[in-house]
Amino acid sequence: MNRTHSRRLAGVLAAALLTASVAACGGDEEPAEAGGGGELTTVTLASSPLGHLAPIYIAQDRGIFAKHGLKVEVDTETSDLTSVPSVLAGKVDFATGDLTTLIVARSKGLDVKAVVPASASTGKAGADYGALVVSGKSGITSPKQLDGKTVAVNILTNIAAAAAREAIRADGGDPESVKLVEIPFPQVPAAISEGRVDGAWVVEPFLSAAKAQGAVPVGWGFTDLAEDLTVSAWYTSGAFAKQKPQVASAFRDAVREAYAYAREHEDEIRAKIPTFTEITPEVAGRITLTGWRDEVSRQAAEKLVGYAQRDGLITTAPDLDELILS
């Protein structure tokens, strides 16, 4: 693992540990519960403004959250990497984080609790919302041909890096020979077309943008990682889940109802995406949407723990009963 980014992740998690310690010394104010007295309980959410938020916004518009006693406020400025300290400090109630990042955080003693999936693999190689891509002019036709080459991922210590490595390994290649470099997803299409990297792991809508600029998928690492892969989850702090169990349960139930609606109304999801992102209606109409799952996959989490240990992200496996809300 790249030492610079290992130190950066360690720094973020160390800050989160300090934040958690300070928060634990706070007052003893009795928390409100969802739906108490007929009033709505406001919960704050933090997530990057990507397509997986569409069911959340639609659920708010259609009164699904209100039905469960909640009103949501969404913060799209807090990144997944920096959301852990915010959640532990109580600045936001729920945030999205990729499952590998949450596993690493939990292994470091951070009290994070995965509540419900935020995004999931479709489970279909060739039709997933994330892929390992190369330039169509490169002559590369399979992941193992990236041995000894340079591959971009958005963060070197998260599930994107795990997916890129596993796509290469599953094809018989040697991911240890591959140089992973960090490039934000929005910059991947240009990096591929300009030849600055040989390959890249990228998700929608940037996957479609990359293909429009001549990139071609050669691997589908999400399906290589696990059959039923939870890619990211809405999570909270263990303290919040313990102090406000009805709110946590109400949020999970509302999100599940939102996903049930999304599965039956894909056109509405696609129409909603341009209203809170920079994605155009044309692009929103053709991207591959994330899978919507009701449960954080324990089987997938167990496999991701193994990958994290193998890749040197963690030394001790976290207790998944503590990580995943029952």
Side-chain angles (χ1 to χ4, degrees), residues 31-191:
E33 284 292 0
E39 296 182 0
L40 299 182
T41 298
T42 299
V43 292
T44 55
L45 316 181
S47 179
S48 300
L50 295 174
H52 63 262
L53 276 180
I56 302 299
Y57 284 116
I58 287 177
Q60 181 79 330
D61 294 343
R62 297 189 63 83
I64 292 175
F65 281 109
K67 172 184 172 182
H68 292 273
L70 302 175
K71 175 184 177 182
V72 299
E73 295 179 350
V74 183
D75 166 18
T76 57
E77 299 298 322
T78 301
S79 72
D80 287 358
L81 185 60
T82 59
S83 65
V84 173
S86 295
V87 168
L88 295 181
K91 294 179 180 178
V92 296
D93 299 315
F94 301 93
T96 55
D98 79 88
L99 199 50
T100 294
T101 295
L102 297 182
I103 286 168
V104 173
R106 190 76 216 186
S107 75
K108 303 296 184 184
L110 297 179
D111 192 20
V112 294
K113 182 80 72 172
V115 177
V116 66
S119 61
S121 168
T122 64
K124 301 175 182 177
D128 214 339
Y129 82 101
L132 182 63
V133 301
V134 299
S135 169
K137 300 177 182 179
S138 67
I140 296 172
T141 58
S142 68
K144 66 183 178 182
Q145 291 177 288
L146 287 166
D147 278 5
K149 300 187 182 300
T150 300
V151 173
V153 295
N154 70 322
I155 297 174
L156 297 177
T157 54
N158 73 354
I159 201 168
R165 291 190 189 98
E166 199 58 25
I168 293 167
R169 181 178 287 107
D171 192 46
D174 177 16
E176 297 303 318
S177 73
V178 176
K179 179 182 179 182
L180 294 183
V181 296
E182 192 171 278
I183 296 179
F185 286 143
Q187 298 175 23
V188 163

Side-chain angles (χ1 to χ4, degrees), residues 123-294:
K124 301 175 182 177
D128 214 339
Y129 82 101
L132 182 63
V133 301
V134 299
S135 169
K137 300 177 182 179
S138 67
I140 296 172
T141 58
S142 68
K144 66 183 178 182
Q145 291 177 288
L146 287 166
D147 278 5
K149 300 187 182 300
T150 300
V151 173
V153 295
N154 70 322
I155 297 174
L156 297 177
T157 54
N158 73 354
I159 201 168
R165 291 190 189 98
E166 199 58 25
I168 293 167
R169 181 178 287 107
D171 192 46
D174 177 16
E176 297 303 318
S177 73
V178 176
K179 179 182 179 182
L180 294 183
V181 296
E182 192 171 278
I183 296 179
F185 286 143
Q187 298 175 23
V188 163
I192 289 289
S193 65
E194 295 169 5
R196 288 188 277 123
V197 292
D198 301 297
W201 178 264
V202 65
V203 298
E204 295 286 16
F206 313 108
L207 172 57
S208 288
K211 290 193 289 186
Q213 295 184 36
V216 293
V218 293
W220 305 89
F222 282 162
T223 52
D224 294 318
L225 286 173
E227 291 182 2
D228 182 23
L229 181 66
T230 301
V231 176
S232 65
W234 286 103
Y235 72 96
T236 188
S237 67
F240 183 99
K242 182 177 180 179
Q243 294 168 6
K244 305 182 182 182
Q246 292 179 12
V247 176
S249 294
F251 177 74
R252 179 168 60 182
D253 291 344
V255 172
R256 287 173 173 171
E257 187 171 338
Y259 290 166
Y261 185 86
R263 286 190 285 266
E264 298 297 324
H265 300 85
E266 184 178 303
D267 288 346
E268 281 189 47
I269 295 296
R270 293 184 182 278
K272 190 67 176 179
I273 290 173
T275 68
F276 64 91
T277 70
E278 296 181 359
I279 302 172
T280 66
E282 179 185 4
V283 172
R286 68 171 184 265
I287 62 174
T288 300
L289 298 174
T290 175
W292 294 298
R293 301 286 188 270
D294 291 340

